């Protein structure tokens, strides 16, 4: 991490001389992209706090397997009654599985993004972070015998979703090994930390998954034909909702109905390597709600937010419609999209 620290010092000096914050942001975001794209893969165990509201001492433990670029497999290990819950993104599909409810979701028809698109996505996300937080480098604090720098991030925007947090960033690959988020009153909102970590290509890891024959599975093929919004409104047995706000460069490019008889809808909103999708279905009760998640407010209704590698999954119910938003953007942007769903443009 010394090379990154030196880079920060050099760029900060240049910033002081030139007063050019754009140059600083570009240099840092490019370095983060280089670092992340040099990472071939890893396997680790992550311990999370805050995922069970009202149970501050209960932790979620999951195995995370990453393979370049962006392929991720996250499986719950503890608590025992939730073991086996799964999220997979292999470049061509997204799979979510809750074995205790025999319920799953699958989105297929995706195309792996080229490296230049992945690089642009990382740069964009890094730039958004730099625009919304003040960063303080506190020094080197090794974690799991890995070179690690600790950063303190203070929000400088008026977005209430952006919280003060501390991040222990890997010195070579620029991804967090430990993070802690705090509300304005200093209460703890969310924490995560790797308790084991091994690097490698992970080329031998099988990312495939088949649902049991007796599972209830909601599925969409985004390579299939789309339908018009008016047709979706007629065919669905719930209120079809669309977002009034999306990040720059994004739009609802396609509405896809599920291939089976149950009315289900998926809105495709991705751009390049920046993934956004919104699935909608009639609310069928607690079986189809995630068994854990950070509690968040979505325009007056409760939602559940979970992190899975570089992705976040946000679920909520509005009137008779259950919505699940999946994306690899920062969670404040994901919340902003969700809060605009169903709102007037």
């Amino acid at each position: 991490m010394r090379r990154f620290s030196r880079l920060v010092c050099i760029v900060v000096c240049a910033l002081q001389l030139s007063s050019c914050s754009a140059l600083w942001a570009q240099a840092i975001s490019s370095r983060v992209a280089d670092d992340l794209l040099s990472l071939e893969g890893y396997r680790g165990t992550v311990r999370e706090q805050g995922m069970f509201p009202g149970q501050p001492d209960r932790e979620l433990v999951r195995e995370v397997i990453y393979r370049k670029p962006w392929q991720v497999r996250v499986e719950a290990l503890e608590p025992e009654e939730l073991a086996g819950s799964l999220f997979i993104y292999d470049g061509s599909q997204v799979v979510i599985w809750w074995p205790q409810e025999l319920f799953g979701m699958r989105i297929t028809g995706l195309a792996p993004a080229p490296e230049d698109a992945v690089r642009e996505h990382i740069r964009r996300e890094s730039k958004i972070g730099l625009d919304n937080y003040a960063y303080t480098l506190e020094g080197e604090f090794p974690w799991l015998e890995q070179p690690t720098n600790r950063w303190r991030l203070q929000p400088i925007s008026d977005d209430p979703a952006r919280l003060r947090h501390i991040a222990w960033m890997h010195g070579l690959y620029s991804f967090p090994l430990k993070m802690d988020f705090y509300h304005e009153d200093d209460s703890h909102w969310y924490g995560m930390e790797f308790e084991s970590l091994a690097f490698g290509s992970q080329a031998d890891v099988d990312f495939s998954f088949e649902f049991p024959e007796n599972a209830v599975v909601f599925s969409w093929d985004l390579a299939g034909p789309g339908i018009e919004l008016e047709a979706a409104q007629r065919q669905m047995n719930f209120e079809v909702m669309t977002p009034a706000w999306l990040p720059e460069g994004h739009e609802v490019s396609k509405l896809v109905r599920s291939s089976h008889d149950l009315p289900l809808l998926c809105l495709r909103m991705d751009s390049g390597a920046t993934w956004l999708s919104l699935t909608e279905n009639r609310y069928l009760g607690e079986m189809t709600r995630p068994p854990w998640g950070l509690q968040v407010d979505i325009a007056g209704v409760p939602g559940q937010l979970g992190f899975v590698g570089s992705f976040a999954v946000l679920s909520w119910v509005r009137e008779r419609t259950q919505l699940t938003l999946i994306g690899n953007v920062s969670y404040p942007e994901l919340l902003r999209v969700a809060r605009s769903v169903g709102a007037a443009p």
Side-chain angles (χ1 to χ4, degrees), residues 180-195:
D180 281 301
F181 289 76
Y182 299 90
H183 293 291
E184 287 187 357
D185 62 2
D186 290 334
S187 61
H188 193 254
W189 178 63
Y190 172 71
M192 64 78 69
E193 59 185 58
F194 277 88
E195 61 178 13

Side-chain angles (χ1 to χ4, degrees), residues 25-81:
Q26 181 179 359
I28 297 299
S29 60
S30 294
R31 171 57 64 186
V32 171
D34 290 342
D35 290 349
L36 283 172
L37 286 171
S38 69
L39 175 58
E40 294 295 326
Y42 66 78
R43 182 192 294 260
T45 304
V46 174
R47 187 172 295 273
E48 298 173 86
Q49 302 87 39
M51 303 303 287
F52 301 98
Q55 304 178 64
D57 297 327
R58 194 182 191 198
E59 296 184 319
L60 177 64
V61 181
R62 295 189 284 180
E63 180 185 57
V64 180
I65 301 173
Y66 168 77
R67 184 167 64 194
K68 182 181 178 180
W70 288 156
Q71 296 181 50
V72 64
R73 186 183 192 279
V74 183
E75 182 174 357
L77 305 177
E78 299 177 19
E80 184 178 352
E81 62 270 22

